[in-house]
Amino acid sequence: MVNPHTYYLNKVMSSLFLDTSVPGEERTNFKSIRSITDFWKFMEGPLLEGLYWDSWYNSHQLYDLKNSSRIYYENILLGVPRVRQLKVRNNTCKVYSSFQSLISECYGKYTSANEDLSNFGLTSNSEWRYSTSNTNSPWHWGFLGVYQNGGYIFTLSKLKSETKNKFIDLRLNNWITRGTRVIFIDFSLYNANVNLFCIIRLVAEFPATGGIVTSWQFYSVKLLRYVSYYDYFIASCEIIFCIFLFVFTTQEVKKIKEFKSDYFKSIWNWLELLLLLLCFVAVSFNIYCNIQIFLLLGQLLKSTEKYSDFYFLAYWHIYYNNIIAITIFFAWIKIFRFISFNKTMSQLSSTLSRCIKDIVGFAIMFFIIFFAYAQLGFLVFGSQVDDFSTFQNSIFAQFRIVLGDFNFAGIQQANHILGPIYFITFIFFVFFVLLNMFLAIINDTYSEVKADYSIGRRPDFELGKMIKQSYKNVLEKFRLKKEIQKAEQMKKWKERLEKKYYSAEIQDDYQPVTQQEFRELFLYAVELEKELHYINLKLNQVMRKLSAL
C-alpha cells in the first residue's frame, strides 16, 4: 500500500506548489501566506506557473490536440483544477451595545448554520453564485473548523492567459470578502511511470480574527491496483488472506462454544477477536474501494473538460491504508504471546504483567499532575506562545519538554515570573520525581521476577510447551506405528510356527528346524523379552506412585 514512490511523488509536488516563491519576493510562498494580497500573489505567480509551467523538467509538457488535455512526460493533469470558496453571513456574531454605532458588520466563525448561501458581486458568472455539491466527497476537517461541500466554485481554463485574466478579474472585483472563511484549490495528477495518482488540495483558512492559515493535503494513491504481474501476485495473496481469515474465524467460534464465558477471561483471546474484527473491516474497505473505483474511475478519466473529483476515492483509500496499518500493528503485538519460550522475553513479559497494577496507580497520579501543568501552561502562555495555544498543544508541548525539546525563551517572554516557575517545577516534579518513580516500579518488579527465576519458580513456557507437546505426539505416533509393525510381524511368526509345529495334520513328532526358522524363533524370543521388560517398567512406575500415595 505504501512504497518510496509515494513519498517522492508527494515531495516533488509539495516542492513545486508549496516552496516555490513569488517572483521578486523570495520569502512569499504558499506556506507563508498571511494576507489576501499574498494569496493573490500566490495564485497569479507560483500556482499559475506550476499548473502551466512550459519548462517543467526541460519542457516536459505537451498538448494533445485530440482531447485538449494537458500532458506531462512524467505527470498528466486530470481534468481541470477547481477553486472553491465558503463564506459566512453578516451579523453572525453579536456586537456589544457600546460599539454598535461604530461597527455595522460582524462575521463570525464558520459553521454550517452561519454559512452564506446567497449570491454576491457579479452574479452573471458562476463563481459569484452559490452552488450545491454534486460529489460524494466528505467534509473537510481544517484547523479552524469543519467545512462542508458546495460554495462559490469556478474551474480554471486550459489556457494560461485565460486563467491569469480570471484571477485578475476576481481580485479586482473583490471575490474574497470579509465573510470568506476558506478557499480550496483542488486538482489531480497521474504518473504512469509508477502508476500513482496524486490528489492535491491546498487550503487557505480565513479566521474571524484576520489573517490566513494555510494547510495542504497530498495523497499519492494507487487506484489502478492490478496492472503488473506483481499486482496479480498481491491479488493472490489477498485471496489466501481471506481463506485464512475464514479458517481462523471458524476456530475462534469453536473455542467460544467450547469454553463459553471462560474464553473471554484471557486478554489474548480479546486481542484475537480484535484482530479478526479489524481484518473483516479491512476486507470490507477493500471491497468498497474497488467497487467505487470500478464505478467512478472511468467516468472521471473521461471528463477532461471539467473538474475530476478524485478526492473521494483518495480519501477512502487513505482510510483503508490506516485500517491496514492498525491491523498490522496489533498482529505484531500478538507475537508477545509466543515469545515466552525465551527466558529473557519471559522475564520481560512477566515483569510487565506483574507490575501492571502499580503502573495504573502511578499513571493516575502522573496524569493528574501532568494535566494540571498543561492547564496552567495553556492559561498563562496560551495567548502568546504557539506551543500552548490550545489545551491539546499544551499536552504535546509538555511531552516534548520531557524529551528535551522546548522553547524556554518563548515561555519566559510570555511571563517573566510564572514562566521560569512553571518550567523549573515541571522539570523537577515530572522529570526528576515521577519518571524516576516509574523506573523504580519497573526495576523493583524486575528484580522480584529475576529472583523467582533464580530459585526455579518460573511460569510455563507456552510456546516451548506447545513444541514439546507436538514433539511428544509425533514420537508417540512413530512409536505406535513401530509397535504395530512389530506386533504384526510377531503375529505372523506365531502363526507360521503354530502351523509348522502344532498343526493337527502333522503326525510326525520330529520336525527339523531350518536356519531361517531358528532365526525367526530367536527374534521372536527377543521381542517377547522386550515386551516383558517394558511391562515390568510400567508396573514399577505404578507401584512407586502407589507407595508415594
Side-chain angles (χ1 to χ4, degrees):
M1 303 305 298
V2 177
N3 58 67
H5 295 306
T6 59
Y7 167 75
Y8 289 119
L9 183 57
N10 286 341
K11 184 179 179 180
V12 169
M13 294 296 107
S14 62
S15 174
L16 179 62
F17 293 103
L18 301 181
D19 299 330
T20 304
S21 301
V22 174
E25 300 183 22
E26 295 298 328
R27 295 185 177 181
T28 304
N29 53 31
F30 184 77
K31 294 180 180 179
S32 63
I33 291 176
R34 293 296 178 267
S35 65
I36 297 177
T37 303
D38 292 341
F39 179 81
W40 285 119
K41 287 181 180 179
F42 167 78
M43 296 288 284
E44 299 172 20
L47 179 66
L48 195 65
E49 295 299 327
L51 293 174
Y52 302 88
W53 199 353
D54 295 333
S55 59
W56 196 5
Y57 295 116
N58 299 321
S59 298
H60 286 185
Q61 174 178 318
L62 297 176
Y63 289 88
D64 185 353
L65 299 178
K66 185 176 180 180
N67 57 17
S68 301
S69 63
R70 299 180 346 91
I71 302 178
Y72 301 89
Y73 285 167
E74 274 74 20
N75 301 282
I76 301 176
L77 183 62
L78 303 173
V80 294
R82 182 188 70 178
V83 181
R84 180 167 66 96
Q85 175 188 182
L86 293 177
K87 299 172 55 182
V88 295
R89 301 187 309 275
N90 187 16
N91 298 323
T92 51
C93 52
K94 276 192 173 183
V95 179
Y96 188 64
S97 57
S98 301
F99 295 98
Q100 288 180 355
S101 59
L102 302 174
I103 301 174
S104 58
E105 297 179 342
C106 183
Y107 298 88
K109 66 178 183 179
Y110 177 85
T111 61
S112 57
N114 292 342
E115 186 175 359
D116 189 359
L117 307 179
S118 61
N119 302 332
F120 74 106
L122 306 177
T123 55
S124 58
N125 297 327
S126 61
E127 58 267 22
W128 303 91
R129 299 194 301 268
Y130 185 87
S131 302
T132 56
S133 173
N134 55 359
T135 64
N136 297 323
S137 294
W139 291 11
H140 181 86
W141 191 352
F143 285 125
L144 306 176
V146 179
Y147 306 98
Q148 62 182 10
N149 299 318
Y152 304 90
I153 304 171
F154 70 92
T155 56
L156 304 186
S157 171
K158 294 182 177 179
L159 298 177
K160 180 178 180 180
S161 57
E162 291 184 4
T163 301
K164 186 173 184 179
N165 292 333
K166 170 71 74 173
F167 287 158
I168 293 174
D169 179 65
L170 294 175
R171 173 169 57 83
L172 295 177
N173 288 283
N174 297 322
W175 187 66
I176 300 176
T177 66
R178 288 183 58 190
T180 300
R181 287 296 171 261
V182 66
I183 294 178
F184 298 97
I185 305 169
D186 297 300
F187 54 97
S188 304
L189 300 166
Y190 175 68
N191 190 305
N193 297 338
V194 292
N195 187 26
L196 288 177
F197 290 80
C198 187
I199 291 83
I200 302 174
R201 168 169 286 184
L202 306 179
V203 184
E205 296 180 78
F206 297 73
T209 57
I212 299 178
V213 178
T214 58
S215 59
W216 49 87
Q217 292 177 341
F218 291 85
Y219 292 153
S220 291
V221 295
K222 189 175 182 179
L223 299 181
L224 300 174
R225 296 187 56 191
Y226 308 112
V227 177
S228 63
Y229 289 113
Y230 179 74
D231 296 334
Y232 287 109
F233 168 73
I234 296 297
S236 64
C237 292
E238 292 174 347
I239 295 173
I240 295 173
F241 172 81
C242 293
I243 296 173
F244 272 101
L245 179 59
F246 175 76
V247 172
F248 290 148
T249 304
T250 305
Q251 290 180 352
E252 294 304 312
V253 171
K254 290 181 179 178
K255 288 181 182 179
I256 294 175
K257 290 182 178 179
E258 180 180 357
F259 298 103
K260 296 183 172 57
S261 60
D262 293 336
Y263 174 87
F264 300 98
K265 294 180 180 179
S266 173
I267 189 173
W268 296 113
N269 292 336
W270 283 101
L271 180 61
E272 191 74 38
L273 293 178
L274 177 62
L275 266 175
L276 291 176
L277 176 62
L278 289 173
C279 289
F280 278 109
V281 173
V283 171
S284 302
F285 265 75
N286 187 18
I287 296 173
Y288 178 76
C289 290
N290 286 331
I291 292 175
Q292 293 300 322
I293 290 171
F294 177 78
L295 295 176
L296 300 177
L297 188 59
Q299 301 176 7
L300 294 174
L301 294 176
K302 290 179 181 179
S303 58
T304 59
E305 300 296 329
K306 59 182 181 179
Y307 170 70
S308 299
D309 189 6
F310 287 87
Y311 188 83
F312 171 76
L313 298 178
Y315 178 85
W316 286 108
H317 198 278
I318 293 298
Y319 266 83
Y320 170 58
N321 183 54
N322 294 341
I323 292 294
I324 292 292
I326 297 172
T327 305
I328 295 298
F329 171 79
F330 283 108
W332 275 98
I333 296 298
K334 186 182 173 182
I335 294 177
F336 280 106
R337 184 179 184 179
F338 306 108
I339 62 175
S340 59
F341 68 94
N342 181 274
K343 180 179 178 180
T344 303
M345 295 295 109
S346 179
Q347 287 180 355
L348 294 177
S349 59
S350 298
T351 300
L352 293 177
S353 60
R354 188 176 296 188
C355 69
I356 188 66
K357 293 182 179 179
D358 294 332
I359 291 178
V360 171
F362 167 81
I364 294 173
M365 178 179 62
F366 174 83
F367 282 110
I368 288 174
I369 298 176
F370 192 84
F371 288 143
Y373 272 99
Q375 192 72 57
L376 174 64
F378 169 59
L379 295 176
V380 176
F381 316 117
S383 61
Q384 301 182 55
V385 182
D386 179 59
D387 292 340
F388 296 88
S389 57
T390 65
F391 183 66
Q392 294 85 350
N393 288 350
S394 298
I395 295 174
F396 292 125
Q398 290 187 161
F399 279 116
R400 289 167 54 192
I401 291 175
V402 172
L403 297 175
D405 180 16
F406 53 85
N407 180 19
F408 177 74
I411 296 174
Q412 188 178 29
Q413 181 67 29
N415 195 307
H416 291 287
I417 299 175
L418 293 179
I421 294 176
Y422 162 84
F423 183 79
I424 293 173
T425 56
F426 177 79
I427 291 294
F428 177 78
F429 286 109
V430 175
F431 189 77
F432 289 111
V433 178
L434 293 179
L435 290 185
N436 283 285
M437 287 179 60
F438 175 75
L439 295 177
I441 292 172
I442 299 292
N443 189 42
D444 184 60
T445 308
Y446 181 72
S447 300
E448 294 179 1
V449 171
K450 202 169 183 180
D452 291 345
Y453 274 60
S454 64
I455 61 177
R457 291 190 301 175
R458 60 183 66 182
D460 292 335
F461 294 153
E462 185 175 351
L463 185 58
K465 190 176 180 180
M466 291 169 58
I467 295 174
K468 289 181 180 178
Q469 187 63 36
S470 301
Y471 177 71
K472 288 181 180 180
N473 292 337
V474 172
L475 286 180
E476 288 294 333
K477 289 181 180 179
F478 278 111
R479 183 180 297 173
L480 181 61
K481 185 176 180 181
K482 191 174 181 180
E483 292 295 333
I484 292 174
Q485 291 176 351
K486 288 182 179 180
E488 291 178 351
Q489 188 177 10
M490 292 176 66
K491 184 178 180 181
K492 290 180 180 178
W493 288 345
K494 183 179 179 182
E495 290 175 353
R496 287 165 59 185
L497 292 172
E498 287 179 350
K499 185 177 180 181
K500 184 173 179 64
Y501 297 103
Y502 301 101
S503 175
E505 299 175 358
I506 301 176
Q507 303 296 330
D508 193 358
D509 295 335
Y510 173 75
Q511 295 291 333
V513 179
T514 64
Q515 186 176 2
Q516 178 65 24
E517 290 173 346
F518 179 79
R519 183 173 177 275
E520 291 179 355
L521 283 170
F522 179 77
L523 293 176
Y524 181 57
V526 171
E527 293 298 330
L528 288 175
E529 185 179 2
K530 288 182 180 180
E531 290 293 328
L532 183 61
H533 181 68
Y534 178 75
I535 293 172
N536 189 28
L537 289 177
K538 289 291 185 181
L539 183 60
N540 290 335
Q541 290 179 2
V542 172
M543 295 301 295
R544 282 197 298 268
K545 290 182 179 179
L546 290 174
S547 62
L549 294 174

